[in-house]
Amino acid sequence: MRVRPRTAPGLAALLLGTPLLAMTGFASGPPPRHLPAAGPPPAAGAALDDSAPAERAPVVVASKPFAESYILAEMFAQILEARGIAVRRRLGLGATAIAFAALRAGDIDVYPEYTGTGLVAILGEKPPSTGGEAFRRVSMEFRARWGVRWLPPLGFQNTTAIAVRRATADSLHLATISDLARVSRRLVGGFSPDFLGRADGLPGLEKAYGLHMGQTRALLQSVKYQALASGEVDVIDGYGTDGQIARYNLVVLRDDKHFFPPYDAAPLVSRHLAEDRPDAVAALSELGGMLDEAQMRALNRRVEVDGEDVAVVAHDALASLGLVPDTVGPPPAAAASGGPGGVGAATVPEAPSAGSLPAYLWSHRHATFRQTLRHLLLVVLSLGGGILVAVPLGLWLERVRRSAEGAIRAVGLLQTVPSIALLAFMIPILGIGVGPAVVALFLYSLYPIVRNTYSGVRDVDPVAVDAARALGMTDAQVLTRVRLPLAAPVIMAGIRTAAVIDVGTATLAAFIGAGGLGDPIVAGLALSDTNMILSGAIPAALLALVVDGTLSMAEGVVRPRGLSRGSA
Amino acid sequence: MSSPTWALEARGALKSFGPVRALDDVTLRVAVGEALALVGESGSGKTTLLRTFNRMVDLDAGEVCVQGVPVAEADPVALRRSLGYVQQEGGLLPHWSVLRNVALVPWLQGRADADSRARDALRLVGLDPDTFDSRWPRQLSGGQRQRVALARALADGPQVVLLDEPFGALDAITRGELQMAFARVVASLGVTLLLVTHDLREAFLLGRRIAVMRAGRIDQVASPEELLAKPATPYVAELLEKAGVT
């Protein structure tokens, strides 16, 4: 993933600079809608009663899906808890677009953001020349436009880093990006999708340095380092506090023309928190200026490279800064992150996952079971809704055939909206969590079902239909006794297709805090933890097989016996 | 109101499909208990005419009556249930057993003895109900399928049966067998029959009178003997010659 904005891979590229950006509420648009159901209610009584903070709605702490964001969010959560403030975690939200939309809508209260991201990705302005300038600018604009507040920066700057293998640097004598520009035509770049497209990414870099990569590939953060280490690419973009740079013994090329602006990390808080929760704002502000780049890199390394538990690393960091008492192990609240009502918040992994996959899967079986149930819930609700809408729609279209193809194609267009963009698009309307995820999955399930229902019913043997009518069946009888039974296998095939797609797409629901098996996949990708990824991916694949198998049996049941082979 | 002595009657029937005149001022009467064969080439309008009687096709102008009642005034569903109907491909419901297919109309009419009527109808067309009742249509030969379709058309005891090329898809030997069996059955039942066919031999075999249709018009209606003796138009003569029934 690219440096600064560190949005989820692909999402930023999809959203930034597109109309969807405006749709998700970035550039301008109606004032943010507060969604009291999901966010803490701005209860007048509570605002007056500062003496009883424990009874207030918990502060919702979120992060974006990469290690540093998880660590910082966990530090936010733990310092709030240490100051007696109840917290609910919603870690690993899909990307800048999703996290910020959720913050504006009041679904979350705080997440770690970078000033440069705020300026470039959210405000759509040019990168700042100095850190201080950027912070002043975003503070003013975010407050004026959305009432959203930047708290004091944490102290470290997270600059974009262009990195190469040590062997490449040695053989080509590379120390600076200017050096790279001389030989860049011979090299292959592996960059985050958004870095490839952003003005302060590769295009800007090419202009500033006269650099031209021989070839570029869009790579996700989680695979970029392996791709570089294995020689599939020669140059990557990373970020200055990245724990992986040391791990792979990479050389960071000096930005000798100061192209990359400094990005300061800071807590970005909702209007509600800024206005009504001075206790929380004070607690978060304690972190101001406390972390430098070396410290952050060390924390990232512990999580990304050593596979340590995020909660433990965050606790150690706070303890070493003297902000919380130094106890052994993570505070209990961290382990119970999410809690019973933690609607699908991507919980931080409970234990380091070094070791064998079977052992990891076994030790996480309870979490996996919960995630599988949640996943199944998402699939059942969205698919059920899809069937209830798409089957009647398909039947109706068969009766008004002239408009059928156009209508079905329009439904098919939904399929072309990238899932993560659709999820982001839902946030201003539906917030985050299960609701918008189910709606998005529902929309994806429509096409295969409506298509198969329509063509299945349409293609029923016309002679049989004609005979049924001519012998005196009513239209309703023709539909229920002839068309539907004969089309049932085709309709079921459409439902099966939708279900299998649904199980796969539902993993992306983790990006908007809907939980499910996407949680460990997203967290594992962010934390470079293969076992964690597989603990979500394997059950998801098995679930797809089980759902498909179950529906295949259902198909056998609905298939009219007169049509099946071998029955007599 | 036309005379109830006619089982089927069309007067001045007009029907166009786009620019094509399928029925061009057709008048035809079929007496009660009569078997009339409607002969013509494909596209002559004979199937369209047949389908106006069970309101599978509605006229642009003119009038069609069944047993004296204008079909335009009848409830189409009730009308269709009162008429037997057989198509070229049989049109058996593939997901229903033979017995259920044959019991269709009695079942639609809510008859308690639908199944026993169906078994009787199967016997009538020469199929043993015990052997065939639970078979699926796809397990039948072409000839058996048409027998089942015929049984289905007869199961509720209709006064009038409409047959649209009922033997058209069969091989010659099966067709011959079935035609003979069919002739016996209808003779024993005394039902009114309208048979649409392109096969003049079949029309001679099964029709007491024959109507020759061409391009939406009826060239001649006559008994087979009369048709042979005095073809009304060169087209009728040519048709007779081609069929070799002179």
Side-chain angles (χ1 to χ4, degrees):
Chain A
M1 178 163 343
R2 159 189 169 58
V3 196
R4 259 348 45 69
R6 272 114 135 257
T7 49
L11 179 60
L14 291 166
L15 292 182
L16 296 174
T18 72
L20 271 177
L21 190 62
M23 285 153 76
T24 54
F26 270 153
S28 57
R33 231 182 94 208
H34 193 77
L35 295 175
L48 295 174
D49 186 9
D50 276 341
S51 62
E55 288 173 23
R56 295 170 159 201
V59 171
V60 182
V61 178
S63 79
K64 292 194 268 182
F66 53 91
E68 186 170 296
S69 197
Y70 275 94
I71 297 168
L72 293 174
E74 188 56 35
M75 288 174 72
F76 295 173
Q78 290 188 20
I79 199 167
L80 288 167
E81 285 166 341
R83 302 298 176 261
I85 298 166
V87 163
R88 191 160 140 208
R89 290 168 174 79
R90 283 196 161 217
L91 306 187
L93 293 186
T96 300
I98 286 171
F100 185 65
L103 189 82
R104 278 187 59 200
D107 281 338
I108 62 172
D109 291 311
V110 57
Y111 78 94
E113 188 50 282
Y114 301 85
T115 54
T117 306
L119 205 59
V120 176
I122 301 177
L123 294 177
E125 296 186 1
K126 285 199 157 179
S129 51
T130 71
E133 193 186 308
F135 187 75
R136 278 190 298 279
R137 178 85 193 128
V138 290
S139 296
M140 199 176 73
E141 278 297 315
F142 276 59
R143 192 166 180 163
R145 290 197 197 180
W146 303 296
V148 168
R149 209 78 61 81
W150 291 80
L151 298 185
L154 302 170
F156 67 90
Q157 290 203 341
N158 194 344
T159 51
T160 300
I162 298 297
V164 296
R165 284 183 302 275
R166 183 160 297 283
T168 312
D170 289 348
S171 66
L172 297 173
H173 308 290
L174 305 179
T176 65
I177 301 179
S178 291
D179 294 338
L180 177 68
R182 284 187 286 106
V183 297
S184 55
R185 283 189 191 281
R186 288 146 54 187
L187 300 176
V188 179
F191 302 118
S192 302
D194 58 325
F195 183 83
L196 286 170
R198 293 165 51 99
D200 61 336
L202 190 61
L205 197 68
E206 286 175 341
K207 224 176 280 174
Y209 282 95
L211 173 130
H212 294 284
M213 299 307 303
Q215 198 188 330
T216 58
R217 289 193 192 160
L219 292 178
L220 300 190
Q221 174 73 4
S222 44
V223 300
K224 204 184 284 170
Y225 290 96
Q226 285 98 312
L228 182 63
S230 66
E232 286 176 60
V233 299
D234 305 305
V235 184
I236 62 167
D237 62 311
Y239 53 97
T241 52
D242 196 333
Q244 304 270 20
I245 286 174
R247 177 188 185 176
Y248 288 100
N249 192 22
L250 305 180
V251 173
V252 174
L253 301 178
R254 197 157 49 76
D255 181 15
D256 50 326
K257 292 189 179 171
H258 304 287
F259 170 75
F260 293 117
Y263 281 55
D264 292 282
L268 185 57
V269 304
S270 66
R271 174 197 288 265
H272 158 68
L273 202 77
E275 290 176 357
D276 302 332
R277 298 299 298 267
D279 55 335
V281 169
L284 292 168
S285 299
E286 286 181 55
L287 290 166
M290 296 298 274
L291 290 170
D292 62 21
E293 282 89 2
Q295 284 170 302
M296 193 66 236
R297 200 176 297 133
L299 298 178
N300 283 335
R301 191 193 157 97
R302 282 179 66 184
V303 170
E304 287 184 310
V305 181
D306 305 334
E308 285 194 61
D309 179 12
V310 169
V312 173
V313 172
H315 173 74
D316 290 353
L318 290 173
S320 71
L321 295 171
L323 295 173
V324 299
D326 196 357
T327 54
V328 180
S337 58
V343 184
T347 50
V348 168
E350 285 143 24
S353 69
S356 74
L357 178 62
Y360 181 89
L361 293 179
W362 180 249
S363 67
H364 287 72
R365 62 192 184 280
H366 297 299
T368 303
F369 182 68
R370 276 197 313 275
Q371 288 154 352
T372 306
L373 283 186
R374 167 58 61 87
H375 207 86
L376 208 51
L377 176 79
L378 294 172
V379 170
V380 166
L381 288 180
S382 57
L383 190 67
I387 294 168
L388 288 179
V389 170
V391 171
L393 180 63
L395 296 179
W396 179 70
L397 288 173
E398 196 276 329
R399 311 213 50 169
V400 289
R401 290 195 193 176
R402 237 160 289 163
S403 36
E405 278 304 324
I408 291 173
R409 233 170 272 144
V411 174
L413 272 185
L414 281 173
Q415 221 74 9
T416 66
V417 179
S419 24
I420 204 151
L422 188 63
L423 291 172
F425 169 62
M426 295 274 162
I427 294 176
I429 309 158
L430 295 168
I432 58 176
V434 172
V438 168
V439 172
L441 293 172
F442 158 78
L443 292 175
Y444 283 123
S445 73
L446 292 179
Y447 179 72
I449 304 178
V450 79
R451 163 66 70 195
N452 277 39
T453 302
Y454 170 72
S455 41
V457 173
R458 183 196 56 192
D459 297 342
V460 165
D461 179 9
V463 181
V465 171
D466 184 70
R469 283 187 66 220
L471 288 166
M473 275 199 186
T474 62
D475 285 351
Q477 285 169 329
V478 169
L479 180 67
T480 58
R481 304 283 177 169
V482 181
R483 285 191 187 275
L484 268 181
L486 291 178
V490 181
I491 297 174
M492 275 306 296
I495 292 174
R496 267 174 81 179
T497 307
V500 172
I501 293 173
D502 210 345
V503 172
T505 313
T507 56
L508 294 174
F511 280 133
I512 55 168
L517 292 165
D519 271 356
I521 296 176
V522 168
L525 281 171
L527 305 176
S528 305
D529 187 331
T530 310
N531 282 350
M532 197 187 295
I533 296 171
L534 292 175
S535 78
I538 292 172
L542 292 177
L543 190 62
L545 289 177
V546 168
V547 166
D548 190 48
T550 308
L551 290 175
S552 157
M553 282 192 279
E555 198 176 316
V557 172
V558 300
R559 169 179 282 270
R561 285 185 57 227
L563 300 186
S564 46
R565 263 158 275 276
S567 67
Chain B
M1 203 67 161
S2 52
S3 159
T5 50
W6 303 112
L8 299 171
E9 181 178 23
R11 275 184 285 121
L14 281 174
K15 179 67 187 178
S16 296
F17 296 110
V20 180
R21 272 257 153 118
L23 299 179
D24 189 2
D25 191 19
V26 171
T27 295
L28 180 75
R29 296 187 176 87
V30 185
V32 173
E34 185 185 26
L36 185 130
L38 193 54
V39 188
E41 296 167 340
S42 55
S44 62
K46 57 191 192 301
T47 291
T48 302
L49 181 59
L50 176 128
R51 288 165 74 86
T52 62
F53 290 109
N54 60 3
R55 284 200 64 183
M56 295 296 283
V57 170
D58 280 327
L59 289 181
D60 296 337
E63 190 173 61
V64 164
C65 296
V66 171
Q67 285 167 327
V69 180
V71 295
E73 292 167 17
D75 168 45
V77 168
L79 173 72
R80 288 169 192 159
R81 288 177 187 176
S82 73
L83 298 171
Y85 178 66
V86 180
Q87 305 139 290
Q88 176 167 346
E89 308 284 349
L92 299 183
L93 302 181
H95 58 309
W96 283 11
S97 68
V98 163
L99 190 72
R100 200 167 167 207
N101 264 289
V102 177
L104 171 65
V105 182
W107 171 75
L108 286 171
Q109 299 285 38
R111 312 232 191 271
D113 59 346
D115 279 3
S116 70
R117 282 174 188 248
R119 301 178 84 83
D120 291 344
L122 280 172
R123 262 181 229 111
L124 201 61
V125 299
L127 292 176
D128 174 18
D130 296 331
T131 309
F132 286 92
D133 59 356
S134 58
R135 293 215 182 156
W136 302 107
R138 67 182 168 79
Q139 296 170 318
L140 304 176
S141 70
Q144 287 168 340
R145 251 178 247 167
Q146 289 308 106
R147 282 177 194 256
V148 171
L150 185 61
R152 181 172 68 176
L154 298 173
D156 201 50
Q159 299 295 304
V160 178
V161 178
L162 308 174
L163 302 144
D164 190 1
E165 302 271 13
F167 315 111
L170 302 175
D171 62 82
I173 295 172
T174 312
R175 190 188 314 146
E177 279 175 13
L178 216 57
Q179 284 165 341
M180 299 309 291
F182 177 78
R184 280 197 301 274
V185 170
V186 294
S188 70
L189 292 175
V191 297
T192 305
L193 212 67
L194 179 62
L195 168 74
V196 160
T197 178
H198 66 279
D199 178 355
L200 202 57
R201 290 163 178 263
E202 184 173 294
F204 271 62
L205 186 65
L206 301 175
R208 289 259 309 281
R209 276 199 306 153
I210 292 169
V212 178
M213 251 190 116
R214 185 173 61 131
R217 290 176 158 274
I218 292 186
D219 272 24
Q220 187 174 10
V221 185
S223 68
E225 299 74 25
E226 215 181 320
L227 205 68
L228 280 174
K230 284 189 272 177
T233 64
Y235 175 73
V236 174
E238 186 191 332
L239 211 62
L240 290 166
E241 194 178 330
K242 269 196 215 159
V245 288
T246 43

